[in-house]
Amino acid sequence: MVHYQHFCEVSKEELFPPGEIMMEKKQKKFLTVAPFECAWPNDLRFREAGRGCVAFDAFAHNDVTLVFREQVGSQHYHYKRDNCPHYTVIIGSHRNKRFKIEVDGKTVVDATGVGLCCSSAFQSYWISIYDGLISIGKGRYPFQNLCFQWLDSNPNCTVQYVGLSSWDKHVGYRNVNVLPVTSNHLSLWKHVDYVEHDLGEDDLEQELEDEISNYESWGLRKFLENWELSDMFFVVGKEERVVPAHKLILEACGDFGLSLSVEEVVHLPDISYNCSSCTSSILESDLCSLKSLSLQYKVMSLVKQCEEIVERIMSNKQLVDSAQLVDISYPSWLQCSKTFPYGLPIDRERLERFLSTGEYSDLDIYVGVHDIVLRSHKVILGSWSTPFTKMFTNGMRESVSSVVSLKDVPLEAFKIMLEFMYSGKLNKEATEEINTLLLQLLLLADEFGVTLLHQECCKILLECLSEDSVCPILQVISSVPSCKLIEETCERIFSMHFDYCTTASIDFVMLDETSFCNILQHTDLTVTSEERVLNAILLWCLQARELYGWETVNELMGNSTPEMLFGERLKSLNEFLHLVRFPLLPLDLLKKFEGSSLSQQIPTFDHLVKEAIRFLEFGVTDFQGSQRFQHRKSSFKELLYICDGDSNGVLYFAGTSYGKHQWVNPVLSKRVTITASSPISRCTDPKVLVSRNFQGTSLAGPQMEGGRNTSWWMVDIGLDHQLMCNYYTLRQDGSRSFIRCWNFQGSLDGKSWTNLRVHVNDQTICKPGQFASWPITGPNALLPFRFFRVLMTAPTTDDTNPWNCCICFLELYGYFH
């Protein structure tokens, strides 16, 4: 038949080897683009013109080429001959030696060493375009590992479609996804269906060659011109060759006037076999017959193609060559929308109508406990789903029955999956937000192997993920291997918002052990206190139903046993406690732990607490290199001391509104508060200490505290901020009142102070206007504080005013939260 022209003739033995389906025997790992060609999948399209990110894996010897245009191009498109505005990004140009960006065919970037290709394995890349800013990076995480950026001074804000191209060698692409770009990039996005393949170069070359000839063998091709599931056949030509067919597909392509129930035989004695079969080419002399046959059955898209071919032939030569073959092909699966795999001139509206009316139905599906009946077509379900294909063709009961019963399937989700198979579009009800329906649909797509639906669900999840949704999603997908990367993404988000995810709700206690363990060990784990990590572990191990802290657990422990409280999760508790960094906790809290019921009844807890106390009091431990004694760098922003008077400290950072705008004195902008032991005056001006100008006279005068003289300058970095200080800088004013004995201290409340560094007869400062800086070492450098002060403990070198603390500059460094 006319609409089969796109497909090659394949025997039943080729399509269905004994014991398994060809699709499973040779599962595709990537799509291939031949030299000087370009693939334009319709779904590789920015949602907003001029703004989007494409993430992909590529295998090539050189020249991985991506084109960005306002409209799609043809399979034989080449950017050098394109007169329309476009961007071209070439990774591995000039035999894998250069990186290039071209605008409308003209080179604007030609660089070396940027993201070159690899000929022995797939590599991951991402390319984003945002109002002319083109960014290129490597790796599985879009918006990370940036390699290169270029800004177009005359940006093209109309580019929307992405073409996958090649130069002189075949290029393999996989995991190609287009993601939206917003002002607040979600760096959590990862490739959907990412799979590592341990293949050598020879294997990949062979697969690429196989792909060139075999990339059409999927979808309906499994059934076309094959007796499986056919409900009619044609007797074609004088030789009376039999061509099996499917009424549903024929009526979705044209108007054949077929009966709904009777198995029909249609005789076409005047039509050659090539005009009716699944071949992808036809003799030029048969074009008129094909056109007439297409008109007869109203397959108008094929009529139009025949007319175009004939017109092209006639423009190049005078006569039709009866021996010359021409291609009759509909857009291949590389150009077609990935959400509709048929590659045939199918009228989707007709197909959807057949689903709603049940016309040509050969299958009744009983869904759920109430046995709701959905009428469908085996050929459609089988073309999308390998499990359904097995069910209908491998001799199972359903292969000869017109009834399938699916008891454990959610009805609404299955309806949406069924509609997707007929329309190629995902129901809006399932895509508006992350909800139970979408998760059910994801699991169904995974169970029945509807890969394209699975990818659509994954994309929606990746775009909508937030700290509020990660827990319910993790609970559902942690057992689904095909969702591994979404699982990793959820764990990463949870880790980055650990405080929120473990206090906003109690849902996290329902996570499985592996997921929770991965979160606790994640390199991006961000917490304000190790006490929160401990509380979360205790709640998870208790499978608690409400939120509370370790104190409540300690009370419960006083009236019970660990075995009764934690049950089967007691073993996990002993393992997870090693992930708490007890040495980062305050000593007074550890002393409370030491005398608690938790220490008395849980030996692991007691051992770790005693070890931390020993470290904080004496700096002694048998496991100095353990992570338990290292602060979590991801928990705080590192503000590193470079040199005296630099702009890398906390107080300067506060003056820029934490990196948001130009510097303003943070005392004036009320980002920090500075006080002195003496009242504010001309010589005691708090804003001087954080200004960028030298002050000749700046002092904190003496006052009596505890029956003795003292002077101090104190900094409050703000209610919501803490600093683990590992360096600080002072600057002497213009006087010669040099301090010799003082303590640098930290506090959480401004009342109880911890010595971070004690100076006794320190003669570092010996000149007016001199800078001096000191590191903070030892266990106290691991403690976060809000308040800091320089407290004099003995007179200065000035006999006239010995208790004036004459400092005109102060800066702090470390890990800032």
Side-chain angles (χ1 to χ4, degrees), residues 40 67-73 77 82 84-86 159-161:
W40 296 93
V67 184
F68 301 87
R69 297 179 85 240
E70 182 179 359
Q71 301 294 334
V72 296
Y77 166 92
D82 189 356
C84 298
H86 64 282
V159 293
Q160 205 162 8
Y161 286 89

Side-chain angles (χ1 to χ4, degrees), residues 591-612:
K591 293 287 188 179
K592 291 181 182 178
F593 287 165
E594 189 178 27
S596 68
S597 298
L598 287 167
S599 277
Q600 294 171 11
Q601 298 199 47
I602 303 176
T604 301
F605 186 88
D606 183 58
H607 167 74
L608 293 170
V609 168
K610 283 183 167 59
E611 179 189 55

Side-chain angles (χ1 to χ4, degrees), residues 561-794:
T561 64
E563 291 75 16
M564 293 177 61
L565 277 179
F566 300 105
E568 60 184 12
R569 291 190 175 183
L570 179 59
K571 180 181 178 181
S572 300
L573 174 64
N574 285 297
E575 294 174 356
F576 288 166
L577 284 174
H578 288 276
L579 303 178
V580 180
R581 302 185 180 184
F582 285 97
L584 305 186
L585 291 167
L587 183 60
D588 58 344
L589 180 59
L590 291 170
K591 293 287 188 179
K592 291 181 182 178
F593 287 165
E594 189 178 27
S596 68
S597 298
L598 287 167
S599 277
Q600 294 171 11
Q601 298 199 47
I602 303 176
T604 301
F605 186 88
D606 183 58
H607 167 74
L608 293 170
V609 168
K610 283 183 167 59
E611 179 189 55
I613 293 173
R614 193 163 61 250
F615 172 71
L616 293 177
E617 287 187 334
F618 308 108
V620 176
T621 178
D622 297 330
F623 305 95
Q624 187 69 50
S626 171
Q627 282 190 335
R628 295 201 301 275
F629 300 89
Q630 302 172 13
H631 42 138
R632 303 181 191 271
K633 292 186 178 180
S634 62
S635 301
F636 293 76
K637 177 179 178 63
E638 185 175 11
L639 298 170
L640 183 66
Y641 168 80
I642 302 297
C643 63
D644 294 344
D646 62 25
S647 299
N648 298 319
V650 173
L651 302 182
Y652 185 88
F653 187 54
T656 64
S657 294
Y658 315 109
K660 295 180 180 178
H661 57 57
Q662 294 295 316
W663 182 85
V664 174
N665 190 299
V667 171
L668 295 176
S669 62
K670 299 183 179 180
R671 300 289 179 181
V672 300
T673 303
I674 297 181
T675 53
S677 53
S678 59
I680 295 176
S681 68
R682 182 173 58 85
C683 298
T684 306
D685 187 354
K687 65 179 181 295
V688 167
L689 261 69
V690 288
S691 73
R692 311 305 292 173
N693 300 316
F694 173 71
Q695 188 78 5
T697 303
S698 176
L699 59 90
Q703 72 171 16
M704 295 294 293
E705 288 186 6
R708 55 179 296 180
N709 260 331
T710 187
S711 297
W712 47 259
W713 284 102
M714 182 176 70
V715 178
D716 176 4
I717 61 175
L719 178 62
D720 298 322
H721 299 104
Q722 292 180 331
L723 173 70
M724 290 186 286
C725 186
N726 58 22
Y727 236 98
Y728 78 102
T729 298
L730 301 179
R731 187 179 190 185
Q732 179 72 20
D733 70 357
S735 72
R736 303 188 66 84
S737 298
F738 307 130
I739 56 174
R740 290 291 177 256
C741 300
W742 74 96
N743 294 342
F744 180 66
Q745 301 177 319
S747 172
L748 287 170
D749 56 9
K751 298 177 181 178
S752 177
W753 294 91
T754 300
N755 286 331
L756 301 180
R757 186 179 178 104
V758 175
H759 299 259
V760 178
N761 196 24
D762 189 325
Q763 301 187 37
T764 304
I765 298 178
C766 56
K767 297 178 182 179
Q770 177 188 347
F771 283 102
S773 301
W774 297 268
I776 308 299
T777 58
N780 288 345
L782 305 177
L783 301 179
F785 296 106
R786 170 185 168 182
F787 299 89
F788 297 87
R789 72 175 179 177
V790 177
L791 174 74
M792 283 180 51
T793 56

Side-chain angles (χ1 to χ4, degrees), residues 58-62 64 96 115-123 125 204:
F59 165 83
H61 287 281
N62 53 272
V64 173
N96 203 21
L116 300 182
C117 310
C118 176
S119 61
S120 61
F122 274 96
Q123 285 188 325
Y125 304 91
L204 288 171

Side-chain angles (χ1 to χ4, degrees), residues 169-414:
K169 291 183 180 293
H170 290 93
V171 176
Y173 292 94
R174 71 179 183 192
N175 306 319
V176 186
N177 291 279
V178 170
L179 308 168
V181 178
T182 64
S183 56
N184 181 22
H185 294 319
L186 296 180
S187 59
L188 54 95
W189 282 322
K190 301 179 181 181
H191 302 317
V192 179
D193 287 342
Y194 185 100
V195 183
E196 294 284 1
H197 296 287
D198 185 15
L199 298 175
E201 182 175 354
D202 294 339
D203 297 324
L204 288 171
E205 289 281 7
Q206 184 60 49
E207 284 218 29
L208 285 169
E209 292 177 8
D210 294 343
E211 287 292 311
I212 298 168
S213 58
N214 293 330
Y215 63 47
E216 299 293 338
S217 58
W218 77 305
L220 281 174
R221 187 186 186 285
K222 297 195 300 289
F223 301 108
L224 292 174
E225 203 165 335
N226 189 279
W227 288 100
E228 298 287 357
L229 308 183
S230 63
D231 52 8
M232 66 165 295
F233 58 91
F234 292 88
V235 179
V236 180
K238 295 178 181 179
E239 66 274 22
E240 295 188 343
R241 294 189 63 171
V242 178
V243 180
H246 308 81
K247 294 179 182 178
L248 173 76
I249 304 303
L250 293 175
E251 289 298 337
C253 293
D255 186 3
F256 290 80
L258 300 172
S259 168
L260 293 177
S261 57
V262 180
E263 181 171 350
E264 296 192 28
V265 178
V266 178
H267 292 270
L268 299 172
D270 299 326
I271 300 298
S272 70
Y273 174 73
N274 282 342
C275 288
S276 63
S277 69
C278 298
T279 55
S280 58
S281 59
I282 189 171
L283 293 173
E284 288 184 5
S285 56
D286 286 333
L287 278 170
C288 292
S289 296
L290 179 58
K291 178 183 175 182
S292 298
L293 186 63
S294 304
L295 280 170
Q296 178 182 346
Y297 292 114
K298 299 181 180 179
V299 186
M300 302 313 297
S301 57
L302 186 56
V303 172
K304 182 178 180 181
Q305 187 171 161
C306 289
E307 292 174 346
E308 291 175 351
I309 294 173
V310 170
E311 183 179 352
R312 187 170 65 248
I313 292 173
M314 298 305 293
S315 65
N316 294 330
K317 54 187 179 180
Q318 297 297 321
L319 299 174
V320 172
D321 186 350
S322 60
Q324 183 69 36
L325 286 173
V326 294
D327 289 335
I328 301 291
S329 61
Y330 294 95
S332 73
W333 70 286
L334 291 178
Q335 288 102 34
C336 257
S337 167
K338 290 197 324 187
T339 56
F340 206 68
Y342 301 142
L344 292 174
I346 287 178
D347 187 321
R348 298 189 190 187
E349 292 184 0
R350 289 188 186 181
L351 204 59
E352 291 179 63
R353 188 181 74 240
F354 294 152
L355 173 64
S356 61
T357 63
E359 291 180 76
Y360 305 105
S361 171
D362 58 356
L363 182 66
D364 289 339
I365 307 175
Y366 288 78
V367 182
V369 294
H370 300 295
D371 285 337
I372 303 298
V373 181
L374 302 176
R375 301 184 67 188
S376 185
H377 308 82
K378 291 182 179 180
V379 67
I380 298 297
L381 270 62
S383 68
W384 283 92
S385 165
T386 299
F388 275 125
T389 298
K390 287 183 177 180
M391 190 183 297
F392 300 146
T393 62
N394 283 11
M396 298 175 66
R397 181 180 60 188
E398 291 81 357
S399 63
V400 294
S401 172
S402 60
V403 176
V404 169
S405 181
L406 303 173
K407 294 291 185 183
D408 299 325
V409 169
L411 176 61
E412 290 304 315
F414 188 83

Side-chain angles (χ1 to χ4, degrees), residues 140-142 179 188-192 462 485 488-489 492:
R140 295 168 58 185
Y141 298 85
L179 308 168
L188 54 95
W189 282 322
K190 301 179 181 181
H191 302 317
V192 179
L462 288 173
L485 286 173
E488 292 176 1
T489 302
R492 183 165 179 258

